[in-house]
Amino acid sequence: MYSMPLYRPPSEASSLIIQITEGCSHNRCRFCTMYKCKQFRLKSKEELDEHIKWLKAYYLEPERIFLADGNVLCLQTEKLIQLLERVKREFPSVKRISSYSGPMDLIRKTDDELRSIREAGLELLYMGVESGSDRVLSMMQKGVNQQQMIEAGQKAVKAGFRFSCMIISGLGGTELMKEHALESAKVISAINPHYFSLLRLVVEDESELADDIEQGRFKLLTPIQILDENILMLENMELNDCVFRANHVSNYVNQAGTLNRDRDELVARLKKFRDSNKFIPMGSDRL
Ligand code: SF4
């Protein structure tokens, strides 16, 4: 049984999800409603025993396992290593274990601790960078600044994790659109993750950002501005062999390629859509 709601990255759609923690230990970002109804906590040993027993009845030989909820990496290193050993024992067929990672969790752990966690079997980490701009990060109450985001990402890559970063297109609003594009390009380039995905800001009615919009403190980008921002961001990326995806349901234009190798082609495609009078955005502002 899971404690709902339950989230995982799109690329973990076929993974077995083991819910080690509930919620997000930060839980303050103004645009995010994912875990607002949950108090962050680690499941007790008894709960975890029961949970794993239940999962084993349904998933016989999972090859991919995602550890939920928000940031399992905030567990003490010893505890996390023991957990990873247990997951491998209980599901010997597993070939890849992944989880979300909060920037402060990565910063708090030493390089040696991160390497031990990697060696214990956690292979792929996802980090929501959201924006590279200090002003946008602060406005959204992300709890870290640009430098910390870079430090966290570089530590993860150095420790040997496969690393996936995500930026939210439109998160600077009209006022900080250019800064959001340029500074996000700077942070992603400095980290040079293995995977980079671009989602579009979708505002949930229950979020604090919805109030900001209502009160006139934040102005959403138009679809054309979103494409302009995406173009500026991609034009300023300096990446080596990074798998890029913008194929989430929120994206106006589906994009996939490898950066920087395919950058010119990706930018040209975005410009073609932007300049086309047939450009009709998919989805809506509030999915
Ligand atoms: S965006 Fe991530 S860190 Fe921020 S509240 Fe949501 S889950 Fe937590």
Side-chain angles (χ1 to χ4, degrees), residues 102-121:
M104 283 315 292
D105 301 328
L106 286 163
I107 288 173
R108 279 190 207 106
K109 296 209 186 292
T110 65
D111 290 347
D112 283 346
E113 284 181 300
L114 289 175
R115 255 190 300 271
S116 313
I117 293 167
R118 172 66 193 92
E119 280 161 17

Side-chain angles (χ1 to χ4, degrees), residues 27-123:
N27 219 12
R28 293 188 61 222
C29 299
R30 294 187 79 75
F31 57 86
C32 175
T33 56
M34 282 166 71
Y35 303 114
K36 285 286 192 289
C37 60
K38 287 182 176 180
Q39 179 80 33
F40 180 78
R41 72 183 190 96
L42 167 65
K43 275 193 199 302
S44 69
K45 186 183 172 307
E46 293 69 32
E47 285 173 304
L48 205 54
D49 289 348
E50 194 60 31
H51 185 54
I52 287 177
K53 195 172 147 197
W54 175 71
L55 290 171
K56 284 180 83 167
Y58 290 96
Y59 296 88
L60 300 180
E61 294 186 324
E63 294 197 347
R64 290 183 171 190
I65 290 180
F66 180 76
L67 306 180
D69 278 342
N71 49 332
V72 171
L73 208 67
C74 77
L75 297 191
Q76 285 175 346
T77 300
E78 262 321 295
K79 202 167 218 163
L80 184 50
I81 289 174
Q82 282 168 15
L83 254 163
L84 288 163
E85 298 300 344
R86 175 163 187 200
V87 166
K88 287 188 292 182
R89 258 196 330 273
E90 302 274 8
F91 300 97
S93 57
V94 68
K95 293 196 174 116
R96 186 182 90 181
I97 306 176
S98 52
S99 81
Y100 286 126
S101 57
M104 283 315 292
D105 301 328
L106 286 163
I107 288 173
R108 279 190 207 106
K109 296 209 186 292
T110 65
D111 290 347
D112 283 346
E113 284 181 300
L114 289 175
R115 255 190 300 271
S116 313
I117 293 167
R118 172 66 193 92
E119 280 161 17
L122 187 56
E123 180 185 337

Side-chain angles (χ1 to χ4, degrees), residues 177-195:
M177 168 184 155
K178 196 170 166 199
E179 178 173 323
H180 174 60
L182 294 176
E183 297 302 297
S184 295
K186 185 172 156 187
V187 169
I188 299 299
S189 301
I191 296 172
N192 200 25
H194 301 89
Y195 309 96

Side-chain angles (χ1 to χ4, degrees), residues 163 165 188 192-197 237-245 257-262:
F163 199 56
C165 288
I188 299 299
N192 200 25
H194 301 89
Y195 309 96
F196 162 51
S197 57
M237 290 278 177
E238 288 304 330
L239 292 167
N240 184 21
D241 212 12
C242 174
V243 175
F244 168 65
R245 294 286 180 268
T258 299
L259 292 171
N260 272 9
R261 191 193 69 193
D262 303 330

